[in-house]
Amino acid sequence: MTAKLISGTEVAAQIRAEIKQEVEQLKAKHNIVPGLATVLLGLDPASVSYITGKEKAAKELGFYSERIDLPDNTPQQEVMAIVNRLNNDPKIHGVLVQVPLPKHINETEVLLAIDPKKDVDGFHPFNVGKMVIGEPDYLPCTPAGIQQLLIRSGIQTDGAEVVVVGRSNIVGKPIANILLQKAKGANATVTVCHTRTKDMAFHTRRADILIVAAGRPKAITADMVKEGAVVIDVGVNRIGMSKSGKAILAGDVDFDAVKEKASFITPVPGGVGPMTITMLMQNTLKAAKLTAGIK
Ligand SMILES: NC(=O)c1ccc[n+]([C@@H]2O[C@H](COP(=O)([O-])OP(=O)(O)OC[C@H]3O[C@@H](n4cnc5c(N)ncnc54)[C@H](OP(=O)(O)O)[C@@H]3O)[C@@H](O)[C@H]2O)c1
């Protein structure tokens, strides 16, 4: 079997078109413009690239966007004051502080300071709790993007054996939680693997849907995958540099071999990646609507 490619680029474009249309209606009917503020400390190239992508997407969709770039030695108190100002700014519906933060900053304190109503990353414990009890306002963006890829590719999760490799707070744990909910696009039986899992291949081979977020190139080889499985590769690993100086990226799955066994597979790049920023935009639109009491 050769797998069908799930194009995150195409699904993301489809969702962005829907968001753009809703933003236009929100403006025309209610005079509301969704506003997203991003805060970045320092010049870490990956973080600068993420923030630039978020700012660009916000502008393209007709959002109000505010970008705050700070030196990496900015004191904790100043970051807290900025978060507090954004929490109280009615033009801003979503506040995103780019992590990881420099070592002298207490990251937990900063993330806890974001008003949960403006927590469009979905990382505040209040929103994590709402997700776990099945009453989410904002789902974390990468896992929400994975669920949309499954739904929009017509993949049945109801009753499916889902195996997640990785248990981070930003991918593994939330996607496991989302897919086990008693809800549309969920209702799966979920197993989560990590570095202490005994015989990981025993679990991955049972998976109807295998979601891999380990951050290790070729963590999943073809012998670990069931014939006809759906494989979602979240990993983004820099495995080299092109002659023009661009990073060469690979996922966590041995793509060329696994695609011969899977029924569906996401590529890297162009799979899960484009969905993350798109779901951030979706959450910001939702925040604007929730603030205005619009369903
Ligand atoms: N496309 C996107 O938008 C997007 C967004 C977020 C992350 N990512 C990518 O996804 C990957 C994972 O990110 P993350 O933040 O979740 O990483 P992380 O915090 O480093 O967590 C990795 C998880 O994988 C587990 N793991 C690592 N190697 C393993 C192995 N050989 N067998 C079994 N489990 C293993 C770890 O287990 P332990 O807990 O036991 O250490 C850990 O739970 C990274 O490549 C990252 O760049 C992509």
Side-chain angles (χ1 to χ4, degrees):
M1 175 178 281
T2 300
K4 276 193 196 155
L5 272 195
I6 299 178
S7 168
T9 310
E10 278 172 26
V11 177
Q14 193 186 344
I15 297 175
R16 286 189 197 198
E18 293 164 13
I19 295 174
K20 197 166 182 181
Q21 203 174 11
E22 251 197 271
V23 170
E24 281 161 13
Q25 283 171 6
L26 203 60
K27 256 185 223 174
K29 279 196 200 155
H30 303 279
N31 199 25
I32 294 169
V33 178
L36 175 67
T38 56
V39 181
L40 172 67
L41 269 74
L43 294 168
D44 170 65
S47 295
V48 171
S49 148
Y50 289 141
I51 287 286
T52 306
K54 287 163 186 172
E55 193 189 23
K56 186 166 165 265
K59 284 189 178 148
E60 277 169 9
L61 294 176
F63 288 15
Y64 169 73
S65 150
E66 193 172 325
R67 173 171 169 170
I68 300 165
D69 284 308
L70 301 167
D72 65 359
N73 61 355
T74 306
Q76 177 93 18
Q77 265 183 329
E78 198 176 323
V79 179
M80 298 297 280
I82 289 168
V83 169
N84 193 35
R85 170 175 74 71
L86 295 169
N87 280 343
N88 291 303
D89 183 341
K91 292 194 300 303
I92 300 298
H93 303 99
V95 177
L96 182 144
V97 180
Q98 184 67 43
V99 289
L101 286 163
K103 287 214 164 56
H104 70 282
I105 297 282
N106 180 337
E107 198 167 292
T108 307
E109 196 186 346
V110 173
L111 296 182
L112 277 171
I114 297 172
D115 181 346
K117 293 192 195 72
K118 298 192 177 190
D119 169 43
V120 286
D121 247 347
F123 292 157
H124 192 291
F126 180 83
N127 287 316
V128 175
K130 291 199 82 173
M131 171 187 71
V132 172
I133 63 169
E135 291 175 17
D137 288 329
Y138 310 116
L139 291 175
C141 301
T142 302
I146 295 169
Q147 188 185 35
Q148 280 304 311
L149 285 179
L150 295 172
I151 292 173
R152 288 172 186 250
S153 306
I155 291 158
Q156 188 62 254
T157 54
D158 211 302
E161 289 282 345
V162 169
V163 176
V164 178
V165 178
R167 56 175 165 182
S168 71
N169 288 334
I170 64 167
V171 190
K173 279 184 206 156
I175 190 61
N177 253 296
I178 290 167
L179 293 179
L180 68 76
Q181 295 297 329
K182 197 166 188 172
K184 188 174 162 275
N187 279 322
T189 303
V190 183
T191 304
V192 182
C193 299
H194 45 79
T195 55
R196 302 295 175 92
T197 299
K198 285 184 198 157
D199 195 359
M200 191 167 72
F202 163 79
H203 296 285
T204 59
R205 275 192 219 111
R206 290 189 296 109
D208 301 316
I209 301 172
L210 178 59
I211 300 171
V212 192
R216 303 275 182 283
K218 300 201 177 169
I220 299 296
T221 48
D223 58 309
M224 298 168 80
V225 177
K226 181 168 84 174
E227 190 76 39
V230 174
V231 179
I232 307 290
D233 189 351
V234 189
V236 180
N237 303 294
R238 284 162 199 253
I239 55 163
M241 202 68 106
S242 73
K243 279 186 185 148
S244 60
K246 266 188 111 180
I248 301 171
L249 302 179
D252 290 346
V253 172
D254 183 357
F255 181 84
D256 290 333
V258 171
K259 79 174 187 335
E260 298 306 324
K261 254 183 136 176
S263 57
F264 287 87
I265 192 166
T266 56
V268 178
V272 175
M275 295 297 291
T276 299
I277 291 182
T278 302
M279 300 320 289
L280 177 73
M281 300 302 133
Q282 179 112 312
N283 280 347
T284 306
L285 170 62
K286 188 169 185 190
K289 285 163 62 182
L290 285 177
T291 307
I294 300 162
K295 288 250 164 172

